Amino acid sequence: MKNNDFKEVIERSVKLRKAYHQLEREYHEEEWSVEEDALAFLTDAGLVGRLTMSQQGRWPAAGETESELEHKLGECMWWLIVLAERMNIDSVEVLERFLTKTEKKLGN
């Protein structure tokens, strides 16, 4: 993915989060905090674990495991982008640093 493509993903993610903030204000009179966003991410990450177990035949599932897993994986990526943005962390930069550091560590 080109850097510009990832920046578009970030922009779309932020726009979508703003729409959810509007719903939060309507239903709860205030937006979720960063901590609540982090908890929502962790909840979805846990569901990725359970759906992965189901997809791999290690946990019984009720429903469409494959499509639910795909949705939750996408949602977790979205949450990470949203969390980074809310904490003024550049997703592109930190991902690049992580990849470079890890590649060097592993000799790639």
Side-chain angles (χ1 to χ4, degrees):
M1 178 182 293
K2 295 177 186 172
N3 192 20
N4 288 340
D5 293 339
F6 196 72
K7 287 184 179 181
E8 180 184 344
V9 168
I10 292 169
E11 290 171 8
R12 291 173 63 199
S13 295
V14 169
K15 184 177 179 182
L16 184 58
R17 187 66 189 102
K18 286 179 182 178
Y20 276 110
H21 280 316
Q22 178 61 37
L23 289 173
E24 292 156 7
R25 286 189 300 272
E26 286 177 28
Y27 291 105
H28 305 290
E29 299 180 6
E30 62 184 8
E31 297 175 3
W32 282 7
S33 66
V34 174
E35 295 91 340
E36 288 170 309
D37 280 359
L39 182 58
F41 161 69
L42 290 173
T43 301
D44 287 332
L47 291 171
V48 167
R50 184 55 55 95
L51 290 165
T52 298
M53 289 175 67
S54 175
Q55 190 227 29
Q56 296 296 308
R58 304 295 289 168
W59 189 262
E64 178 55 43
T65 296
E66 198 70 28
S67 65
E68 289 179 35
L69 178 57
E70 289 173 2
H71 178 83
K72 283 298 169 191
L73 283 168
E75 190 171 14
C76 284
M77 290 182 230
W78 172 76
W79 273 123
L80 289 171
I81 291 168
V82 165
L83 286 167
E85 288 295 308
R86 291 198 72 192
M87 293 184 280
N88 298 314
I89 297 171
D90 185 326
S91 299
V92 175
E93 177 64 31
V94 297
L95 180 57
E96 178 59 35
R97 277 198 315 248
F98 166 79
L99 292 171
T100 299
K101 181 180 178 180
T102 306
E103 288 166 345
K104 287 179 183 176
K105 184 189 291 186
L106 297 176
N108 289 341

